[in-house]
mmCIF file of all heavy atoms in Angstrom:
data_model
loop_
_atom_site.group_PDB
_atom_site.id
_atom_site.type_symbol
_atom_site.label_atom_id
_atom_site.label_comp_id
_atom_site.label_asym_id
_atom_site.label_seq_id
_atom_site.Cartn_x
_atom_site.Cartn_y
_atom_site.Cartn_z
ATOM 1 N N LEU A 124 39.029 16.815 -2.461
ATOM 2 C CA LEU A 124 38.798 18.143 -2.059
ATOM 3 C C LEU A 124 37.402 18.317 -1.471
ATOM 4 O O LEU A 124 37.193 19.036 -0.498
ATOM 5 C CB LEU A 124 39.032 19.161 -3.146
ATOM 6 C CG LEU A 124 40.507 19.260 -3.683
ATOM 7 C CD1 LEU A 124 40.646 20.308 -4.836
ATOM 8 C CD2 LEU A 124 41.483 19.569 -2.599
ATOM 9 N N GLY A 125 36.424 17.717 -2.112
ATOM 10 C CA GLY A 125 35.054 17.746 -1.620
ATOM 11 C C GLY A 125 34.943 17.238 -0.232
ATOM 12 O O GLY A 125 34.357 17.796 0.763
ATOM 13 N N LEU A 126 35.641 16.063 -0.094
ATOM 14 C CA LEU A 126 35.685 15.327 1.152
ATOM 15 C C LEU A 126 36.200 16.149 2.369
ATOM 16 O O LEU A 126 35.554 16.164 3.474
ATOM 17 C CB LEU A 126 36.536 14.094 1.046
ATOM 18 C CG LEU A 126 36.513 13.091 2.176
ATOM 19 C CD1 LEU A 126 35.115 12.435 2.295
ATOM 20 C CD2 LEU A 126 37.616 11.993 1.839
ATOM 21 N N VAL A 127 37.189 16.974 2.109
ATOM 22 C CA VAL A 127 37.764 17.755 3.176
ATOM 23 C C VAL A 127 37.136 19.205 3.284
ATOM 24 O O VAL A 127 37.633 20.122 3.963
ATOM 25 C CB VAL A 127 39.289 17.914 3.106
ATOM 26 C CG1 VAL A 127 39.952 16.496 3.261
ATOM 27 C CG2 VAL A 127 39.759 18.613 1.787
ATOM 28 N N GLY A 128 36.049 19.344 2.493
ATOM 29 C CA GLY A 128 35.310 20.632 2.623
ATOM 30 C C GLY A 128 35.984 21.799 1.829
ATOM 31 O O GLY A 128 35.669 22.959 2.211
ATOM 32 N N LEU A 129 36.654 21.479 0.817
ATOM 33 C CA LEU A 129 37.248 22.581 -0.020
ATOM 34 C C LEU A 129 36.490 22.545 -1.431
ATOM 35 O O LEU A 129 36.606 21.517 -2.121
ATOM 36 C CB LEU A 129 38.729 22.462 -0.231
ATOM 37 C CG LEU A 129 39.597 22.654 1.013
ATOM 38 C CD1 LEU A 129 41.036 22.430 0.607
ATOM 39 C CD2 LEU A 129 39.456 24.054 1.587
ATOM 40 N N GLU A 130 35.718 23.511 -1.659
ATOM 41 C CA GLU A 130 34.988 23.515 -3.090
ATOM 42 C C GLU A 130 35.942 23.407 -4.165
ATOM 43 O O GLU A 130 36.842 24.288 -4.392
ATOM 44 C CB GLU A 130 34.179 24.920 -3.043
ATOM 45 C CG GLU A 130 33.585 25.267 -4.346
ATOM 46 C CD GLU A 130 32.656 24.092 -4.916
ATOM 47 O OE1 GLU A 130 31.821 23.666 -4.052
ATOM 48 O OE2 GLU A 130 32.771 23.841 -6.080
ATOM 49 N N PRO A 131 35.935 22.343 -4.901
ATOM 50 C CA PRO A 131 36.924 22.048 -5.899
ATOM 51 C C PRO A 131 37.117 23.086 -6.885
ATOM 52 O O PRO A 131 38.177 23.515 -7.265
ATOM 53 C CB PRO A 131 36.488 20.662 -6.562
ATOM 54 C CG PRO A 131 35.568 20.041 -5.565
ATOM 55 C CD PRO A 131 34.944 21.164 -4.785
ATOM 56 N N GLY A 132 36.040 23.617 -7.420
ATOM 57 C CA GLY A 132 35.975 24.606 -8.401
ATOM 58 C C GLY A 132 36.787 25.920 -7.927
ATOM 59 O O GLY A 132 37.505 26.537 -8.735
ATOM 60 N N GLN A 133 36.572 26.115 -6.662
ATOM 61 C CA GLN A 133 37.316 27.359 -6.045
ATOM 62 C C GLN A 133 38.820 27.116 -5.725
ATOM 63 O O GLN A 133 39.544 28.011 -5.842
ATOM 64 C CB GLN A 133 36.508 27.784 -4.895
ATOM 65 C CG GLN A 133 36.793 29.152 -4.350
ATOM 66 C CD GLN A 133 36.168 29.361 -2.940
ATOM 67 O OE1 GLN A 133 35.132 28.702 -2.609
ATOM 68 N NE2 GLN A 133 36.836 30.304 -2.161
ATOM 69 N N PHE A 134 39.038 25.860 -5.248
ATOM 70 C CA PHE A 134 40.416 25.695 -4.667
ATOM 71 C C PHE A 134 41.393 24.878 -5.529
ATOM 72 O O PHE A 134 42.586 25.063 -5.291
ATOM 73 C CB PHE A 134 40.254 25.011 -3.292
ATOM 74 C CG PHE A 134 39.726 25.990 -2.296
ATOM 75 C CD1 PHE A 134 38.410 25.952 -1.919
ATOM 76 C CD2 PHE A 134 40.569 26.773 -1.623
ATOM 77 C CE1 PHE A 134 37.889 26.774 -0.973
ATOM 78 C CE2 PHE A 134 40.160 27.650 -0.671
ATOM 79 C CZ PHE A 134 38.708 27.647 -0.288
ATOM 80 N N ALA A 135 40.953 24.151 -6.502
ATOM 81 C CA ALA A 135 41.852 23.236 -7.262
ATOM 82 C C ALA A 135 43.040 23.989 -7.848
ATOM 83 O O ALA A 135 44.131 23.581 -7.832
ATOM 84 C CB ALA A 135 41.095 22.392 -8.301
ATOM 85 N N GLY A 136 42.766 25.153 -8.351
ATOM 86 C CA GLY A 136 43.790 25.974 -9.095
ATOM 87 C C GLY A 136 44.528 26.918 -8.235
ATOM 88 O O GLY A 136 45.442 27.512 -8.751
ATOM 89 N N LYS A 137 44.197 27.003 -6.918
ATOM 90 C CA LYS A 137 44.946 27.966 -6.094
ATOM 91 C C LYS A 137 46.265 27.374 -5.700
ATOM 92 O O LYS A 137 46.583 26.234 -5.812
ATOM 93 C CB LYS A 137 44.134 28.186 -4.793
ATOM 94 C CG LYS A 137 42.895 29.086 -4.947
ATOM 95 C CD LYS A 137 42.510 29.717 -3.664
ATOM 96 C CE LYS A 137 41.327 30.672 -3.928
ATOM 97 N NZ LYS A 137 40.996 31.461 -2.872
ATOM 98 N N TYR A 138 47.180 28.333 -5.261
ATOM 99 C CA TYR A 138 48.473 27.896 -4.796
ATOM 100 C C TYR A 138 48.559 28.021 -3.312
ATOM 101 O O TYR A 138 47.816 28.745 -2.634
ATOM 102 C CB TYR A 138 49.550 28.827 -5.549
ATOM 103 C CG TYR A 138 49.685 28.302 -7.041
ATOM 104 C CD1 TYR A 138 48.804 28.669 -7.965
ATOM 105 C CD2 TYR A 138 50.701 27.414 -7.273
ATOM 106 C CE1 TYR A 138 48.870 28.158 -9.196
ATOM 107 C CE2 TYR A 138 50.827 26.806 -8.559
ATOM 108 C CZ TYR A 138 49.932 27.193 -9.522
ATOM 109 O OH TYR A 138 50.048 26.669 -10.740
#
Side-chain angles (χ1 to χ4, degrees):
L124 291 180
L126 187 67
V127 297
L129 295 175
E130 170 56 44
Q133 188 188 342
F134 286 98
K137 285 201 178 194
Y138 283 80

